[in-house]
Amino acid sequence: SLEVTGTTFVSDTPSTTGQAISFDGNGRVRITHSPSLAINDNLTVSFWMKAVQGQPGGYTRPMSKGGSPGWEFQQAGAGNELDYRVDTSAGANQVRGNMAGVFDNNWHHISITLSSAGQGISYVDGTAIATQTFSFGAGFSNSADFTIGSRNNGGNSYDGIIDDVAIFDQVL
């Protein structure tokens, strides 16, 4: 099922057509977990974001499949950097990414790839920013809901626009 709160559709998109979802710092889109979201070995996540400078709080979450194990994107404290976080049986709160300068009121294409070899690569606007390792353990699959605009529990809400979210069960 789908739960949508505190969001609106807007025509401000990175392309010339369609609509994106605008979050007001209190909203979220929550998609109930399904087997297609139980990705454990290899993962690619891709989306466009236009984040407001001055988010509602530190560690804002543009999206989350959080839990332990799990993964999510988070603002680095109250700064202008976006990181991704991986939680596995071999290590919790493994923060990587170093995607600086993306909370600036401009559109940015964000992607990460995570592999069962314990390698994560982060991209901003088509450029690889960092290749880093993480402890894979038994993987990052979980039964948590997939949430856009906040953590799964509704905390750490995001203020800005998100468009064209895609999740793949392979490294692209």
Side-chain angles (χ1 to χ4, degrees), residues 61-82:
R61 301 301 202 282
M63 67 186 57
S64 177
K65 186 78 167 76
S68 191
W71 57 269
E72 60 190 357
F73 288 88
Q74 67 184 31
Q75 178 186 19
N80 198 23
E81 179 176 299
L82 181 68

Side-chain angles (χ1 to χ4, degrees), residues 121-159:
I121 304 174
S122 54
Y123 300 85
V124 175
D125 298 328
T127 300
I129 300 300
T131 300
Q132 299 165 308
T133 60
F134 64 94
S135 299
F136 183 77
F140 38 78
S141 177
N142 65 32
S143 60
D145 295 340
F146 174 59
T147 306
I148 304 170
S150 74
R151 295 184 89 165
N152 293 19
N153 65 8
N156 302 90
S157 294
Y158 168 80
D159 190 358

Side-chain angles (χ1 to χ4, degrees), residues 86-170:
V86 180
D87 295 303
T88 69
S89 61
N93 200 21
Q94 300 177 76
V95 178
R96 309 287 188 269
N98 308 102
M99 295 174 270
V102 299
F103 288 87
D104 65 353
N105 296 313
N106 293 303
W107 280 108
H108 294 284
H109 187 258
I110 307 296
S111 296
I112 62 164
T113 61
L114 303 176
S115 75
S116 58
Q119 182 181 60
I121 304 174
S122 54
Y123 300 85
V124 175
D125 298 328
T127 300
I129 300 300
T131 300
Q132 299 165 308
T133 60
F134 64 94
S135 299
F136 183 77
F140 38 78
S141 177
N142 65 32
S143 60
D145 295 340
F146 174 59
T147 306
I148 304 170
S150 74
R151 295 184 89 165
N152 293 19
N153 65 8
N156 302 90
S157 294
Y158 168 80
D159 190 358
I161 306 170
I162 294 180
D163 195 24
D164 293 333
V165 176
I167 300 173
F168 304 91
D169 62 354
Q170 58 186 316

